[in-house]
Structure formats: structure tokens, C-alpha cells
Amino acid sequence: MSQIKNQLAQLNGSAGPLFISYYTAQGEPFPNNVDKLCGPNMTDFPPFHPNGTEKTKLVELYRIVAYLSASLGNVTRDQRILNPNALSLHSKLNATVDIMRGLLSNVLCRLCNKYHVGHVDVTYGPDTSSKDVFQKKKLGCQLLGTYKQVISVVAQAF
Amino acid sequence: MAFSAVLHPAFLLVVLPLKASLSEVLGEPFQLIPEILTVSIQSKLQQVNLQWTVPNLTHQELKMGFQIEISRMNASNIIWVEDYSTTVKRNQVLHWNWKSEIPLECVTHFIRIRAMVDDANYPPQNSWSNWSSWKEVSVQVSVAPNTLLIFPKSKLLEEGSNVTICLLYGQYLYNVSCMLQKEPIHGEQLDSHVSLIKLNNVVFHSHSGTNIYCQAMNATKTPFGTVLFVSKVLEEPKNFSCETQDFKTLKCSWEPGVDTALTWSQQDSQNYTLYESFSGRSELSDHRNSHNWKITEESQETYNFTLTTENNLRKRSVNIIFNLTHRVHLKAPHDVTLETVDAKKANMTWKMHSRGDNYILLCQVELQHETEVIHECNVSVHMSASYLFSDLEPDTEYKARVRCADANHFWKWSDWAQKAFSTPEAAPSQALDVWRQVRSENGSHVVTLFWKPLLKSQANGKIVSYNIVVENQDRPSEAEHYSVQAPALGTQLSLDMCSYKIHITANNSMGVSPESVMALSNDSGHASYRVNKVEAISHLKPRLTLMSLLTELQKNPGIVNPQSPAMKRYTCGQKANGVDMLRSHTLQQCYPSVLAAKEEVHEKRIKGTKDGFHISWEPLSGDALGYVVDWCAHSRDQHCDLKWKNLGPNTTSTNITSDAFKPGVRYNFRIFEKSVQQNAQLLEKQTGYTQELAPLENPKVIINNFTSNSFILSWPGYDSDFQSAFIEGYRVYLKSKEMQCHPKGKRTSLSDNSVLCEYEIKDPEQKSFTVENLQPESLYEFLVTPYTSAGQGPNETFTKVTTPDENSHMLLKIILPMTLCVLLIVIACYWKSQWVKEKCYPDIPNPYKSSILSLIKSKKNPHLIMNVKDCIPDVLEVINKVEGPKTQCIVSGKPHNEDVSIKPPSSVPTEDGSSGPVPFMFFENFTYDQSAFDSGSHGLNPGPLKDTPGQLGLLTPPDKLLNVLEKDYMKSLAESPTEETSLIYVSQLASPMCGDKDSLVTNSPKPVHCSGYKRQMAVPGRLPSLALSESNSLTSMILLGQGEQ
């Protein structure tokens, strides 16, 4: 469990710089319209109830991390194409995705060992491959804005 | 009927061709109406593709013109009309494209076409055919309520071009504002759901595109946007050229210009393609700026290259045509060798890659020394060549390099091929610049030789050592040789007072430099004098002593006065009697040769500038070989660091500059004239500052002759070398509350009601100042500060001094002897203290000298004082006495302290006594109580010992004490019980036989034969006689001394 907490703290610490790096790399108008373009108003983001039981929280955390891992993978792929020179952003995205993979494994292990939960239904974000470039930029920004907000709540809940 | 049925078609078959034939013949309009097959759209390209045919075309080929109309939103709003001519074949499907400036998703377009025959082979058709029907061109886009669609999406365009952005509003959406990056952009409303924003001359922002985003005022969703990928304009390659080094490969290069690549796979970097027209070969370059083209056809001499660069938006190309032999860029020369012929010559050889000896090459040869090109030359050579460098410097490192080009068709120089080499050493070519410093010491000359290092171009190698040959002018055969190892730049010699010639040379591994010669005359050590007259005293006898020589001179005062301090006499000689007289001083036996009369050279002050000093002088003789100016670079330090400057014979002035010159430092220059004989004679002495500064410190003032009315201030002089400027005088400031300034002084009233007098001493040699007319017992403050042309010394705190009282010196004359006298008396008293003690306050007071005695005597009692010698010891025993003498001189009116006990007895003494110390025991002896004595009682004491007031208070006055004693005594008598009256204390005082009544006996620390006190015993009153008779035998102990019983 301490490992999960550590990973959450690590993600919570890096979420802010990742968010900033992202919207900076997209160019204007993103840095000056973060609240409009990157507001955390994703409707399909998995919910999280910090007052729930540990089991519930772990299940919700698993869903969130699974959702984020998939979405951030898409964002990473898009940014490699769109901003090939934004190496700092790429490294931050890769590091975040790597931690999430580890976290996902640890959460599942915890659920399995302690609560005998071997399977959790997860949801993923919408497919953005057909979206135009601006939409991809915006959705990525919204995702990271939401991630930054949610991860702080999740990190405190554990 | 059947016939008519058959006939009608046959008629038509005949008539129709006829009609057509007639139309042609008669020129009737023949309409070939085009038929639109398809109208397709390419949204990304905003392009409409039209396909049509010309039905009823009877000819195999017919040149036709078409007119196409495009209208927007409705058919009547025609926005585009274009004519299109082509040769139409039968059943051919024709194509035409049109690019819309507005994204086709935003608005519906309509298109129609008509045709006209425009073929020379046929009669002209004067009118267009009818229009085809309108075809609607639209892209079905559904906009959800509260959403906004922006077109085009991810548009690729070139910087500087124009683009129209189209906004499609969903339901309930209004007041949309848009931004391009940070800048707001405005559009025009096309209809209620469409608006257009025209962007002209778009600029490049980023390789990842330019963001456009829009948001409605009432939008509930996040902003909408699109990205424009603005590419930089593809540039034409510059400086395209091709060359060969080996006739096997052509290396073509160019400057590619900006990279037009964009991210998101919108556009890659532009590519470059080389096309050679003669060979017809085309190659895509792997690099942005160069390409290696293989020469496959050796016979091909001329090449025509076209370089084409292309991206998604544009294509550009440049062309060159050249002869291969005119584009030869040779490889750098190889096998470069350098061989030194001697110290000043070196030969360089090299080889070239060439197609044969028939080719003439032009080569450029350069010689560098320390990165500077010192020699450059062009030579025509074949495959191998050589070049001789001459006039080289010995022992010098050089770098030689060579490059070549085709001499017939110069295209480019080859790369350099270079080789470093060093020339060997040669003997030094220049004599040393030498100078000397001479001082006389113990009758000899201490000569310090200095020389400057030779320049590299003069040394011609590494100087190993310096050779010095000291040649006595009078004994040339006895030259002394010295060798000083480099890098020393000086040495010191000790020579006698004779004339010498000193030869100095520098040596390297290859030889010796030309020698530098300095002559040293016998007066060289006297730098403060200038030789005015030199006379050979030939008539003087050889081998004279100095004294005899002086005597001889005294006899010839006309020649020179030997007593003058400005005259010196020098003698030189050879070895006499086997003794080297040169090493001794005074009274040598030698051969006198020269007598020199000298004049002291006065120092002249000069004013320097920040750059240095300008020094000029008057030549002494017309045949001077040259002049030398020397000075110490560090005049304040012990280390002089002598510098000198050699000047030519016709020079009478020079500028001395040095980075070491500092402001506020005095520099002393000496100008010497070098004679033909290499003698250097002091001409002038000049001293000055580059910049004079105010003095840094004030002198330490001493007060002399200090009186009540005056004192003298005196101070030491400054060391001239440590003066920051020439001291022009001193200022003395005197400050006091009440003071009258001397008329020569300058008076200033200060704010604290004091007066400041300023006296200026304009003579820098005056080092004292008398302050007069002072008031006695007054406070004065003074400050002495020097001043220079740059200002005066620091404003330090004034020294305070108070003038003495006028009589104080008289008092001193009296008090001092008196103090001495008193001191002597005290010493004498201390010395005779024992004697004084015995005289003034002995340990055993003499009762006859007691003050009490005087009281008693007044009562005229003849029996007052007992004679100790007559006493017979009685029974009174004293078991202890106070430790140490407690005696005092008895003074009249004072109590006898020993009669007063501090403490009452704490225990009754025992007869056997005690060896240890016991508390002081005191027995009251009323013998001394005059009243008791007078009462006739013989020492009766009826009660026990009690404290009395007299025993408790030492400070009790004597009269009071007496009263108390008397009272107590009387009280004791009254209170004593009847039975106790049988006990009588018998005291020896009771004995009428006591002799000397004039003496009062007190406690004595010394054993006496007859104690003053006897043991008092209580004896029955009825046996007075017995007690009296046995009194002698009852004595148990006599007080023997202090602490003993």
C-alpha cells in the first residue's frame, strides 16, 4: 500500500509540471486560455469517491489509472507527431505513463490479495484518431487538466 | 399505310444528314451541349472536380471551347466564370477542376457548363450552346446545437498566402469571437449560420501549426478551433556548383535555404533532385546541400545540371552548365618536406595529385611565424615542386604551407598542406646593452653590472652564459675573466679604485656576441660629482704614499687644493714588493696617474606627466660617444631595479616612459655622458614625479623648551624617496580659546569660540617653529602638516598641550627637596625603629614615665610607686598573659589598657598550670586603684571575680574607668557576706615594706626576679601574721615570660 501511496504522490507532484509543459508546447492560445481550453470538464472521466472504503477507492483508482494510461498513451503519440521537438514534454509524458503502469499493477495486486478482486471493469476515453489537430490538442489539454485535479484528490484520499 | 410507315423512317434517314449537311453549308448554329457526368468534391483541397462529355459529337476530334459557371448559395449568385478550350474526342470524358476559396463544407455551390465549337477546320460557331442544367455542389455537414464547426481543418498553406476560414454555427449559438494565436480576428456573416473570416498574408508561427480558436458568448461547450499549417516559402537553392577532384566524382553543392518541414505529417522537408540533361540522368539527393554525382561517361566534358527542390506547395529549380576541366578542385599537396640549409635558409618540396606532367599547376607558398604570414609567393609547377625560403631568422620556429590550383582554368585553390620547422642557432648578432652602478665601499669600487637580454632576433639562439672580462687599464695583461650563467642579467664585482675596462659578451651554443665595453675610471663611484678637470700629474714621483702625495699637493696649491672636499685623488699602481696594492685602501704604494677635480652635481627638479618624463641636458663635451639615462624603477624599495636608456651622441633630450611609473613616487634620473674611451661621466641629476600627491602623513612633532609663555615645535624631515611630492613648506595650526595670533599668522575664528592661527613656513628645510605669547595654564592645540603643490597633509587630530603655571617651576624647586628630606627622615626612622620603639613605647612601660604618675603625683602620695627590686613574691600567680606585646606608650589621661579585660575569665586557673595556651586570665588588682589604696584596705576583695564595666569597654574614658572601679569596689565591699570576710586577699602591695614607691609595676612579658603580681590567695583574716610570714613559701610560680607559667 505504501508503494501505491508513493506512486500517487509521485504522480501528484509531476502532474502540474506536465500540464504546464503540455499547454506551453501547444502554443497560443492555450497558455493564455487554460481555463477555457483545458478546463477539467471531461464527462466520461471515471469517478472517484474519497470517502469510500479502501476497496471502493482502490477499484475507482484502478479505473482512473486505466483510463489515464490509455488516454495519455494517445496524447503521447499525438505529441510526438505534432511537437517532435518538445522533448521535455515527451519525457514527462513517458514518465507519467510508466508510473501509471506500475501503479495499475500495484493496485490490482492489492485488490487481488486483500479483497480478492481479480477483475475490474474499466472504461477508456473517446477515440481521438479521427479528430482534427486542434481537437486533439484541446482534448489532451483537458485530459491533463482533469488528471492534475483528480490525482491530487486521489493522492490525499490514500 | 404500311408504305407510309416504312417511308417515314426512310425519309428521316435521308433528311437528317441532309439537314446536318445543310446546316453546315448554310452556317446554322450547331449546338453540342455538354453533359455533366459527375461533380465531385475534394474537401481538403477545397476543390470541385467536374466531369462531362459532349454527346452527339460526330467528329473524331473537334476543338471546342467550354464555359463553366459557378454560383454560390443560389444559382443566380454567379461567382466564377471560366473558359476552357480543348480538343474533344468522341465519347471523351472531360475534366476540369476548380478550387474554392471558401471551404466547400460551409456553403452550397452550383455549376453548369456550355460549349462552342472552336475548330479551324470547321466553320466557326458564333454562339454558345445552351447551358447544361445546374448541378449542386455541397458537402453535407450537420452541426449540432450549441456547437461550432470551423473549416478548413488542418489546412496547409504557404506563408504570405490568403485563406478564408468558415464558421458553421449550431443552433442557439451567437456572438462568436475568434483568435489567431493571440490576435483576435473578425469575419463577415454569410448567413445566419455561416460566417467567413478572411486571413490575408498569413505568417509562419511554428512548425506545429497556427492555432485558431473561436468561442461563442453563450457557449456551453469548450472553445472550438482549428490549426493552420503555414509553411515557409520554399527558397531557390543558392550558389549551386559542381566540381571534381579526381575526375571520377562530381561533388555538387548548394545552399538549401530554409527548411519548410511541418509537423503532423503535413509536410516533410523539401527534397532536392539533380537532373543532368545530356545524360538524362536524375538523382535524388540524400543531403540537403550536396550530392556526389558519379562520372560514368569519361568522354563527357560538358554537364548541364538542373537542381530542383520541391515540397507539397511549391517547386523551384536552378540550372548550371559547365566544362568538367574548368571545375577541377585539386587535392591538397602531399609529401611536403622541409630541409634547413643553414640558419637562414630552408627548402620546401611537395607533390601534387595531377593528371600528368603536362598540366601546369599554380601553387601558393606561405611562410608563417607566430601565426603571421611573413612571406607569400606563387609558383608554377608540375606534379612535384620545391621552393627555397631565405632570410630566415636563426633559432626560429616557422610554419610553411602550400596550396595549388589548375593554372589554365583556375577554379579554386586546393586545401593547404603545411609543415612546421625550426632554423638552427647562430652566434648572437648584437652586443649587449650594458650599464653599471658603482659605489665606493671601504676604499674599493663595488661595481654592479647590468645588461638587457638580447632580443630573440639578436640572440639567434638560447643564451647560455655571459662572459665578463675585467681589464685593468694600467695592467692590461692581468685581465680577470668571469662567467655568469643565463638567465642572470647582472653581476657584482669588487674592484679597487683603478681604471678598468669591462668587456661583456653573450654566448650561445654557436658562438659569442660582439662585445660591449664599459670603462671604469677611478672616480666612477662618486656619482655626486662631475669631473671638471683631469690632469695627469706626471711630475710626481712614482711609488709615493698617499700622505706623501698629499704633501706634494699642498706644496702646489695652484694645481688643486687637496683639502677641498670636492677633490679626490686616486692612485693606481702595479704590484709592489709582491703585494697586490689594488686590494688595499689608503696609503697604498702606487703610481699616481690622474688627479681629478670635481664639482658637485646639483639635483634638478623636473615635472613629469602621466606618460613619463621629458629629460634634457647640456652636453659636457663635443665628442661624446653617447648618453645614458638611468633611474630606479622602484625608488621606494630597497631593490632599486635599475633601468637605463642608451642614447646616441647627438641627443640632448629624451622621453622616459614606463608602465611602472606611479603617481606620488619620486624618480631620480642620472644622465651620464659616455666618452670615446667608454667612460661614463655623470652630467646631471634630475628628479621628479609623474604626478605629485598631497603628503600622506604629518611629521611627528616634538615640543621643546616648554614654558608658561612659549614652546618650540620641532619635527624631523622626510626621507626624500618617500615623499609623495616635493615638500614646499609646512603649515602650523594653533588653536585656543583665547589667543592672539602673531601678525605673520592667519587668524580664523571657529564655531566653538576658539581661535585658529595658521602659520606658513615656506622653507621646507625649516623643521621647527616657536610658539610665543601664550597664557599660562591655558590649553592649546596644534597641528603641523607639510604642503606640496598637490595640497597639504592629512587633517589629523590636533595635539593638546596646556601651558604650566608661572610658579610651578618654583614650586617644583621647593617641593622636590622637601619630599626628599621627608623621605630621608622616614628611612632613617625606619632604620632606627627599634631604638624609637624603645624610647617611645617600650614593651615594659616605665611607670615613672606614665601619665598616671602625674595624676598621682599631684596628690603627693609618696608610696604610690613600688620599687620592684624590693618586692617579695607573694601568692599571686599569673597563669597566662596576652600573646604578643600589647604595650602602648602611656600618655597622660589615657587608660592603661592592660588593666581592662576584653573578656571575662572563662575558667579559674589551676595551680599546676597548663602547658598549652589558655585564655587570657586577668586578675583585677586594686592595688592600682587609688581609692582603694587610700581607704586603707589591703587588697580585700570579698566577692568572686565579676565583670565590670571597665573590663568590657576599652574605650571607656580613664576618669570613668576610675569611677567605675571605685564604685564596683565599694559595692563589692558592701555586698560581701559576713563569712567571706574571713578571706583576705593578700597582695604584695599590701606590704608596707615595698620599696620604691615611685615605680608602677605592670604586667611584664619578661621574667623578672620580682614579679609585679603575686598569687593572691584567700587566707583567713584571723591569721594575717601567718599569711604574712608564709607568703614567701606560698609562691608556686613566677611569671617567666610570654606564654610560660
Side-chain angles (χ1 to χ4, degrees):
Chain A
M1 194 63 192
S2 63
Q3 209 165 356
I4 292 172
K5 288 179 182 175
N6 289 339
Q7 285 168 322
L8 285 172
Q10 207 173 348
L11 289 173
N12 189 30
S14 63
L18 172 64
F19 182 49
I20 294 168
S21 179
Y22 182 88
Y23 65 67
T24 305
Q26 308 317 307
E28 288 295 341
F30 286 88
N32 284 322
N33 296 275
V34 173
D35 51 341
K36 293 178 185 173
L37 290 166
C38 310
N41 53 359
M42 298 181 69
T43 55
D44 57 347
F45 201 84
F48 182 77
H49 301 90
N51 296 324
T53 63
E54 183 183 289
K55 179 184 174 184
T56 311
K57 287 192 290 185
L58 281 171
V59 169
E60 288 176 339
L61 173 61
Y62 186 87
R63 288 195 182 108
I64 289 170
V65 175
Y67 180 96
L68 282 170
S69 290
S71 300
L72 283 177
N74 292 336
V75 170
T76 306
R77 180 200 61 208
D78 292 342
Q79 288 301 313
R80 277 188 193 140
I81 301 169
L82 190 62
N83 289 304
N85 299 324
L87 301 178
S88 173
L89 172 63
H90 299 164
S91 66
K92 285 185 175 68
L93 284 167
N94 288 331
T96 303
V97 171
D98 289 345
I99 296 169
M100 282 185 176
R101 281 191 193 128
L103 178 61
L104 203 63
S105 174
N106 288 336
V107 171
L108 185 59
C109 188
R110 178 77 173 176
L111 283 170
C112 185
N113 288 341
K114 189 170 181 181
Y115 302 106
H116 307 293
V117 176
H119 175 76
V120 178
D121 290 330
V122 296
T123 58
Y124 297 105
D127 179 24
T128 60
S129 59
S130 61
K131 303 281 186 185
D132 65 72
V133 178
F134 189 85
Q135 284 290 95
K136 285 181 177 176
K137 287 182 176 182
K138 191 178 77 174
L139 290 173
C141 204
Q142 285 176 338
L143 175 75
L144 291 175
T146 308
Y147 160 62
K148 180 188 162 217
Q149 192 181 56
V150 169
I151 199 69
S152 67
V153 176
V154 175
Q156 284 180 356
F158 284 92
Chain B
M1 197 54 194
F3 174 75
S4 61
V6 174
L7 186 64
H8 186 254
F11 176 76
L12 287 175
L13 286 171
V14 173
V15 169
L16 280 173
L18 180 64
K19 184 183 178 183
S21 174
L22 282 174
S23 299
E24 290 175 4
V25 173
L26 296 176
E28 289 182 14
F30 174 63
Q31 290 202 342
L32 293 171
I33 301 171
E35 181 183 337
I36 295 175
L37 295 177
T38 59
V39 178
S40 61
I41 291 174
Q42 285 182 281
S43 291
K44 189 169 181 63
L45 299 176
Q46 296 178 205
Q47 184 171 293
V48 177
N49 300 320
L50 175 67
Q51 291 185 2
W52 75 97
T53 61
V54 181
N56 305 324
L57 187 65
T58 56
H59 302 83
Q60 288 296 319
E61 280 187 357
L62 185 65
K63 195 172 182 181
M64 295 185 70
F66 299 92
Q67 192 170 56
I68 303 159
E69 279 188 351
I70 295 175
S71 57
R72 182 173 287 163
M73 299 181 73
N74 54 66
S76 60
N77 181 26
I78 296 170
I79 59 165
W80 192 264
V81 178
E82 185 174 323
D83 293 334
Y84 172 70
S85 296
T86 186
T87 302
V88 183
K89 295 177 182 175
R90 186 184 294 173
N91 300 324
Q92 181 185 0
V93 177
L94 298 166
H95 300 266
W96 179 81
N97 300 324
W98 175 74
K99 276 195 172 181
S100 170
E101 62 174 354
I102 297 176
L104 297 171
E105 293 88 347
C106 299
V107 64
T108 302
H109 289 80
F110 299 92
I111 190 169
R112 66 178 181 179
I113 189 171
R114 62 180 179 178
M116 186 171 66
V117 176
D118 185 21
D119 198 323
N121 298 324
Y122 298 93
Q125 188 178 6
N126 293 326
S127 61
W128 288 96
S129 68
N130 292 331
W131 287 102
S132 67
S133 60
W134 285 105
K135 289 285 183 180
E136 185 177 324
V137 182
S138 64
V139 180
Q140 294 300 320
V141 176
S142 62
V143 187
N146 286 317
T147 57
L148 180 72
L149 293 181
I150 303 174
F151 295 99
K153 295 184 181 298
S154 306
K155 173 83 173 171
L156 172 66
L157 66 162
E158 197 172 61
E159 189 178 27
S161 60
N162 304 328
V163 65
T164 302
I165 306 295
C166 160
L167 309 179
L168 291 180
Y169 302 93
Q171 202 173 1
Y172 317 122
L173 212 61
Y174 55 89
N175 276 352
V176 175
S177 59
C178 295
M179 306 274 284
L180 173 70
Q181 295 287 113
K182 287 182 180 177
E183 301 297 323
I185 49 177
H186 306 286
E188 57 177 297
Q189 200 76 23
L190 201 59
D191 64 20
S192 60
H193 292 91
V194 180
S195 67
L196 299 176
I197 300 172
K198 288 188 177 178
L199 301 176
N200 297 325
N201 196 17
V202 292
V203 295
F204 171 84
H205 276 102
S206 164
H207 293 287
S208 58
T210 303
N211 296 320
I212 294 175
Y213 90 110
C214 303
Q215 190 172 26
M217 293 291 288
N218 62 337
T220 55
K221 292 188 177 179
T222 56
F224 305 91
T226 186
V227 177
L228 293 179
F229 287 92
V230 181
S231 161
K232 287 189 174 179
V233 179
L234 181 67
E235 293 177 346
E236 188 176 88
K238 296 182 180 66
N239 298 328
F240 175 45
S241 67
C242 297
E243 62 186 24
T244 182
Q245 284 191 320
D246 52 7
F247 294 92
K248 293 177 182 173
T249 305
L250 265 172
K251 183 177 182 182
C252 297
S253 60
W254 59 89
E255 293 175 14
V258 295
D259 189 351
T260 60
L262 294 171
T263 61
W264 205 247
S265 303
Q266 289 294 319
Q267 181 172 272
D268 294 330
S269 294
Q270 65 268 33
N271 58 47
Y272 293 87
T273 306
L274 274 169
Y275 172 72
E276 203 286 307
S277 62
F278 294 111
S279 61
R281 280 171 52 202
S282 178
E283 292 183 8
L284 181 66
S285 173
D286 295 331
H287 304 94
R288 289 189 69 232
N289 57 354
S290 65
H291 182 70
N292 287 326
W293 181 277
K294 295 259 183 186
I295 297 174
T296 54
E297 297 291 334
E298 289 190 1
S299 58
Q300 185 178 352
E301 288 190 352
T302 306
Y303 288 80
N304 184 6
F305 275 107
T306 301
L307 173 66
T308 303
T309 179
E310 188 178 9
N311 64 8
N312 295 352
L313 298 168
R314 192 184 286 269
K315 181 188 287 189
R316 287 181 183 274
S317 58
V318 289
N319 179 264
I320 55 169
I321 182 167
F322 59 88
N323 191 314
L324 184 64
T325 56
H326 298 178
R327 294 290 186 272
V328 179
H329 184 194
L330 293 173
K331 287 185 179 179
H334 61 97
D335 292 344
V336 179
T337 61
L338 264 155
E339 189 178 347
T340 52
V341 179
D342 56 29
K344 294 192 172 184
K345 289 179 183 173
N347 190 37
M348 182 169 72
T349 61
W350 67 93
K351 291 180 181 175
M352 287 300 299
H353 299 280
S354 177
R355 299 180 77 183
D357 277 342
N358 296 330
Y359 285 87
I360 300 173
L361 303 175
L362 177 68
C363 291
Q364 190 175 47
V365 179
E366 269 188 9
L367 185 67
Q368 288 185 351
H369 174 56
E370 292 178 347
T371 69
E372 186 185 355
V373 177
I374 57 172
H375 182 73
E376 188 180 78
C377 182
N378 289 339
V379 291
S380 293
V381 300
H382 292 284
M383 286 186 68
S384 60
S386 66
Y387 185 79
L388 180 68
F389 293 108
S390 57
D391 296 330
L392 303 178
E393 296 288 343
D395 188 39
T396 306
E397 291 184 355
Y398 292 99
K399 190 164 38 174
R401 59 180 192 169
V402 59
R403 61 181 180 178
C404 299
D406 191 326
N408 296 323
H409 306 284
F410 184 88
W411 166 243
K412 277 181 183 176
W413 288 110
S414 69
D415 291 337
W416 289 102
Q418 62 183 26
K419 189 94 173 175
F421 69 102
S422 297
T423 50
E425 289 189 359
S429 59
Q430 189 77 25
L432 288 166
D433 184 358
V434 297
W435 188 233
R436 86 290 184 278
Q437 200 172 31
V438 185
R439 71 172 191 276
S440 295
E441 195 174 273
N442 298 330
S444 63
H445 278 159
V446 177
V447 182
T448 309
L449 298 175
F450 301 95
W451 54 85
K452 292 176 183 174
L454 287 173
L455 299 176
K456 188 167 173 40
S457 59
Q458 300 166 341
N460 293 341
K462 185 183 178 184
I463 299 297
V464 180
S465 63
Y466 298 92
N467 284 341
I468 300 162
V469 178
V470 181
E471 179 189 354
N472 192 318
Q473 291 288 75
D474 300 301
R475 293 175 296 174
S477 59
E478 296 184 3
E480 293 184 32
H481 295 260
Y482 302 93
S483 179
V484 179
Q485 296 300 310
L489 295 174
T491 188
Q492 198 171 66
L493 303 175
S494 182
L495 304 174
D496 54 30
M497 308 293 275
C498 301
S499 296
Y500 285 93
K501 260 193 176 176
I502 301 171
H503 308 260
I504 306 172
T505 55
N507 300 339
N508 66 10
S509 63
M510 299 302 290
V512 181
S513 71
E515 66 175 17
S516 301
V517 182
M518 274 192 306
L520 202 65
S521 65
N522 48 10
D523 66 331
S524 297
H526 301 266
S528 296
Y529 298 91
R530 185 169 72 182
V531 177
N532 280 336
K533 186 178 180 181
V534 178
E535 292 184 17
I537 307 174
S538 56
H539 64 279
L540 292 177
K541 295 176 184 177
R543 302 179 63 81
L544 286 176
T545 63
L546 180 63
M547 291 307 295
S548 60
L549 189 59
L550 284 172
T551 308
E552 196 71 26
L553 283 169
Q554 283 172 343
K555 291 177 183 176
N556 299 281
I559 300 173
V560 67
N561 181 10
Q563 300 299 331
S564 170
M567 296 184 64
K568 295 291 175 183
R569 185 182 54 172
Y570 295 91
T571 60
C572 279
Q574 299 168 346
K575 284 185 179 178
N577 299 328
V579 180
D580 187 2
M581 294 298 177
L582 295 173
R583 298 295 176 194
S584 64
H585 62 280
T586 67
L587 299 177
Q588 299 173 62
Q589 287 191 334
C590 54
Y591 295 96
S593 63
V594 175
L595 182 69
K598 298 175 182 177
E599 178 188 355
E600 189 170 359
V601 176
H602 292 288
E603 193 173 70
K604 191 172 102 180
R605 290 185 178 180
I606 55 172
K607 194 167 185 179
T609 64
K610 63 178 182 180
D611 298 324
F613 296 89
H614 178 76
I615 293 175
S616 61
W617 58 89
E618 291 292 330
L620 189 65
S621 61
D623 57 347
L625 200 64
Y627 297 91
V628 176
V629 180
D630 76 359
W631 71 95
C632 285
H634 307 292
S635 60
R636 287 187 177 182
D637 299 340
Q638 287 184 344
H639 175 57
C640 163
D641 189 11
L642 186 73
K643 304 287 182 188
W644 70 95
K645 188 175 181 182
N646 260 309
L647 298 157
N650 298 322
T651 314
T652 56
S653 67
T654 185
N655 286 318
I656 306 291
T657 57
S658 171
D659 292 336
F661 287 151
K662 294 174 185 172
V665 177
R666 181 180 288 197
Y667 294 98
N668 302 310
F669 299 93
R670 299 185 300 175
I671 300 103
F672 292 87
E673 184 183 273
K674 287 196 293 184
S675 67
V676 181
Q677 294 79 22
Q678 298 292 348
N679 256 325
Q681 182 181 354
L682 180 65
L683 273 186
E684 290 185 18
K685 291 168 73 176
Q686 299 184 6
T687 182
Y689 297 82
T690 56
Q691 184 188 349
E692 293 193 62
L693 300 178
L696 297 174
E697 58 181 10
N698 294 327
K700 292 180 180 175
V701 181
I702 302 166
I703 302 172
N704 294 326
N705 296 347
F706 190 46
T707 67
S708 58
N709 295 319
S710 68
F711 55 83
I712 296 174
L713 302 175
S714 61
W715 56 91
Y718 287 89
D719 186 346
S720 61
D721 282 343
F722 287 86
Q723 291 178 10
S724 58
F726 295 118
I727 289 180
E728 297 178 350
Y730 295 90
R731 288 195 181 100
V732 180
Y733 295 93
L734 196 64
K735 189 165 72 173
S736 180
K737 290 285 184 187
E738 292 179 0
M739 185 173 59
Q740 292 298 323
C741 286
H742 192 272
K744 291 181 180 177
K746 180 180 166 186
R747 178 190 171 96
T748 307
S749 296
L750 302 178
S751 58
D752 58 350
N753 296 327
S754 58
V755 176
L756 180 72
C757 296
E758 178 188 334
Y759 302 97
E760 188 164 317
I761 302 169
K762 294 185 177 177
D763 180 10
E765 300 303 321
Q766 182 181 333
K767 304 283 180 9
S768 65
F769 180 78
T770 304
V771 183
E772 295 173 321
N773 300 326
L774 305 179
Q775 297 294 326
E777 291 185 280
S778 299
L779 177 67
Y780 293 91
E781 297 176 57
F782 66 85
L783 174 68
V784 179
T785 181
Y787 67 90
T788 68
S789 64
Q792 67 177 25
N795 289 325
E796 292 178 345
T797 310
F798 280 53
T799 305
K800 293 180 180 178
V801 60
T802 304
T803 51
D805 188 5
E806 282 181 313
N807 300 321
S808 62
H809 63 285
M810 295 296 293
L811 287 172
L812 278 174
K813 288 177 182 175
I814 296 169
I815 290 171
L816 191 65
M818 284 182 68
T819 308
L820 287 172
C821 290
V822 170
L823 196 64
L824 285 171
I825 291 168
V826 169
I827 292 169
C829 287
Y830 181 76
W831 186 261
K832 296 291 183 181
S833 59
Q834 288 301 322
W835 181 80
V836 172
K837 182 182 175 183
E838 288 179 4
K839 290 296 178 187
C840 293
Y841 50 95
D843 289 339
I844 303 171
N846 190 342
Y848 292 100
K849 296 177 182 178
S850 171
S851 60
I852 299 172
L853 184 62
S854 61
L855 294 171
I856 296 170
K857 278 180 178 176
S858 64
K859 293 182 180 180
K860 298 179 180 177
N861 190 340
H863 305 289
L864 180 62
I865 299 173
M866 179 182 69
N867 192 346
V868 179
K869 293 176 182 176
D870 299 335
C871 284
I872 300 168
D874 59 10
V875 294
L876 183 63
E877 181 184 357
V878 179
I879 60 173
N880 198 3
K881 73 182 287 290
V882 64
E883 292 180 2
K886 293 279 185 180
T887 54
Q888 289 182 355
C889 285
I890 298 172
V891 182
S892 176
K894 300 283 181 179
H896 193 286
N897 285 352
E898 293 182 355
D899 290 347
V900 183
S901 171
I902 295 173
K903 291 181 180 179
S906 58
S907 60
V908 177
T910 56
E911 290 187 7
D912 53 352
S914 172
S915 61
V918 294
F920 173 72
M921 187 66 71
F922 181 78
F923 283 92
E924 250 185 306
N925 194 338
F926 290 102
T927 305
Y928 300 101
D929 193 328
Q930 186 62 42
S931 60
F933 187 83
D934 290 344
S935 67
S937 173
H938 297 276
L940 292 177
N941 190 357
L945 291 171
K946 292 183 180 177
D947 292 340
T948 63
Q951 291 172 314
L952 296 173
L954 283 171
L955 300 177
T956 307
D959 52 349
K960 191 177 179 181
L961 171 68
L962 293 172
N963 293 335
V964 169
L965 292 171
E966 183 178 9
K967 184 181 176 183
D968 199 33
Y969 170 72
M970 294 306 291
K971 188 180 177 182
S972 301
L973 288 177
E975 291 177 357
S976 68
T978 309
E979 60 273 15
E980 291 182 0
T981 54
S982 60
L983 296 173
I984 298 172
Y985 283 93
V986 179
S987 170
Q988 63 178 10
L989 293 179
S991 172
M993 294 181 293
C994 288
D996 188 8
K997 294 180 177 58
D998 291 332
S999 62
L1000 179 63
V1001 178
T1002 59
N1003 289 338
S1004 172
K1006 295 180 180 179
V1008 290
H1009 296 293
C1010 182
S1011 171
Y1013 297 99
K1014 301 298 180 182
R1015 182 175 180 182
Q1016 292 179 333
M1017 294 183 62
V1019 296
R1022 288 166 293 183
L1023 297 172
S1025 59
L1026 178 63
L1028 188 64
S1029 63
E1030 292 177 356
S1031 63
N1032 290 336
S1033 63
L1034 287 173
T1035 301
S1036 63
M1037 185 171 287
I1038 301 169
L1039 183 63
L1040 296 175
Q1042 186 177 359
E1044 294 181 0
Q1045 293 177 8

